Structures are given as structure tokens and as C-alpha cells.
Amino acid sequence: DAMVIQNPRYQVTQFGKPVTLSCSQTLNHNVMYWYQQKSSQAPKLLFHYYDKDFNNEADTPDNFQSRRPNTSFCFLDIRSPGLGDAAMYLCATSSQGNLGETQYFGPGTRLLVL
Amino acid sequence: AQSVTQLGSHVSVSEGALVLLRCNYSSSVPPYLFWYVQYPNQGLQLLLKYTTGATLVKGINGFEAEFKKSETSFHLTKPSAHMSDAAEYFCAVRGSSGGSYIPTFGRGTSLIVHP
């Protein structure tokens, strides 16, 4: 089945230790998104790619970076995780990013910062 | 700019009772509206969406929603709640950012179903 895969499902890191979360998709979608979701809150968009074009949300901290080496893969790098970065990180895709399109979400990676 | 307000962070119903989750939106352009469901420790899954055409939209798992432009609402309903419906529900409206169309999510409503 075509899907969005996130690895790992759970990630524990230490304060200040860089961490990378990965996302892959078999849907061949052009657009990939990274969201941060804290407990009982709405998903917050960090950035998105339309193909190779990177779009950073204005309030995304510089501590967060992303790479998309090819259509299928997208990575979220947190350069120096702080306690406030503990959250669920959701990857999503959509075909062309058009208005009526559905987003397809992965299961998420829950990040714990010690 | 677009925004979504979900009234009630928690809704509690008995099994078999009507489910009503409220969503009001603000949009400067004709809205595209979505309801997603999130089960614990999982990603979001589309329940239904309104783009154009019929204002009553039917989705998966017996849910439906009605787009009411005059009330700027897109409330989610289900005639009879099931225990398996217990989850977090998010309403979203599609806007634009950097040339792409980006959904704006509401804060979510947690549906609690009592036996």
C-alpha cells in the first residue's frame, strides 16, 4: 500500500545533542510537510517542500532544518534540541499542494529530550 | 488569512448518542474545509472534506459535515457514537503560504465516548 513512513516512531535524545528524524513516501507526491505537535495542541507547520523548493514558516526556529534529497525522502534535523522541542513530529504529503487536496500523514515520531 | 475555531476542547457522549463537534472558520477566499481524526500516537487521517458543490459532505465511519456559508461553520456529526470513535478531531481550512496552499488546523476536540 502506498503510504507515508516515519522512522523512528520514538526518539530519545539528550539536551543539545543533534537529532535527525526521517520521512519517506511511496505516493510520489510533490509536496512534503513537517509539523510539530505538542500535547493537546494543533499541528504547527514548520516547513514544506514543493518538489525541491523549500518553504520555511516565518516563526520556525533556526534550530530546525530540513533536507529533501529526492522525491521520496525528507529529513528533519534539530541541531540543538531543547526541552521545549519535545513533541510529536508529523510528516505529511500531498500531490500538488492544491486547495482541495487531501494531506496524507505518517504515524509521527515522538521526540523526548532528556 | 484563514483561521479555524473549534468550540470545546473536550466533548463527552454516551455510546449510541449523537456526536456534534463544532468548527467555525474565517477565510478571505472561498474556503476548502477538512476534518481529520487522530487516534493516540498516530498521524492524522482524513474523515471528510468540502471543496465545492454539495454542502452536506459524507465521510468515513458514518461521519458527515455540513458547510454553512452564512454561519461560517463546518460542524461534524455522527448519529450514533461508537466506542471506537474516541479520538482527537481536527478541523482545518486551506489557505496559502509561499505559493502553496497550506491547511490551518484548529486546536482539536477530544471526543470521549462513555459505555
Side-chain angles (χ1 to χ4, degrees), chain A residues 19-39:
Chain A
V19 66
T20 296
L21 311 181
S22 72
C23 176
S24 63
Q25 54 128 341
T26 61
L27 298 161
N28 202 32
H29 282 174
N30 277 331
V31 191
M32 295 187 77
Y33 311 79
W34 277 107
Y35 289 88
Q36 179 193 64
Q37 185 183 26
K38 296 189 176 180
S39 182

Side-chain angles (χ1 to χ4, degrees), chain B residues 48-59:
Chain B
L48 49 80
K49 63 181 179 181
Y50 169 78
T51 54
T52 57
T55 56
L56 181 63
V57 181
K58 295 186 183 299

